[in-house]
Amino acid sequence: MATDQGSAFAAEIARLAKKYRGVDRAQTTTKSGHTILLTGMLGGNVGAIDITTPDGHKVRRADGWKVGETYEVAKFLWDLMEQDKARAAERERLAGLKSVSITSANATGPASNRKTSRYHLTPEQLAQLLTLAEQLAAANAADTVAE
């Protein structure tokens, strides 16, 4: 569905660029509610595009391309906006979580093997992990002393 929306968004902007070819400045609001400003559309070129979200936040700008390439440029900008939305949603999801890196090691065999992974934990999960790590360290220390 996001691809369909992106294609529709790009097609709408491409139609606008073709319609106002030769005009220095054209502005419209798309069906998705974004405000589009195309400037410098002289001699078959588009000088720039500014895209503003329905809530007034300027999200993207691109500079300089041929009018015939407007669909591809707008589609690319749509994809970037979707990636920005996904990153914002991920940041919101991770708010309040603690980021930790855990390295696991296998010291047995001819070559030791280490692997580091990143995890996002709630404060409760982090406390449990620290308790478990302390228990493992104590058990390893006791095992080393016993040898």
Side-chain angles (χ1 to χ4, degrees):
M1 181 172 168
T3 302
D4 293 341
Q5 288 176 331
S7 295
F9 177 82
E12 192 171 356
I13 293 173
R15 281 191 299 276
L16 176 70
K18 287 177 185 171
K19 179 178 180 181
Y20 292 105
R21 177 183 285 198
V23 176
D24 186 47
R25 182 180 176 97
Q27 183 172 334
T28 191
T29 301
T30 65
K31 293 175 185 170
S32 62
H34 292 81
T35 300
I36 306 301
L37 174 63
L38 295 168
T39 57
M41 298 193 319
L42 302 172
N45 295 315
V46 177
I49 183 173
D50 286 303
I51 301 173
T52 307
T53 62
D55 63 1
H57 177 70
K58 186 182 263 189
V59 290
R60 284 288 167 196
R61 177 183 172 94
D63 297 306
W65 67 90
K66 300 280 185 201
V67 169
E69 298 168 349
T70 301
Y71 177 88
E72 291 80 8
V73 170
K75 182 72 171 83
F76 176 75
L77 291 174
W78 177 268
D79 292 343
L80 288 177
M81 289 189 303
E82 289 297 304
Q83 290 171 6
D84 289 347
K85 279 193 239 179
R87 281 193 294 274
E90 181 68 6
R91 280 192 304 274
E92 188 173 317
R93 185 186 75 75
L94 296 176
L97 298 181
K98 304 295 181 188
S99 178
V100 296
S101 292
I102 299 174
T103 301
S104 62
N106 179 3
T108 62
S112 62
N113 186 9
R114 299 174 67 101
K115 180 183 174 191
T116 301
S117 300
R118 180 163 294 280
Y119 299 92
H120 301 283
L121 306 174
T122 65
E124 296 81 20
Q125 290 171 322
L126 183 57
Q128 290 172 351
L129 180 64
L130 291 173
T131 301
L132 181 60
E134 289 171 357
Q135 291 171 354
L136 288 171
N140 283 339
D143 196 33
T144 304
V145 170
E147 292 177 3

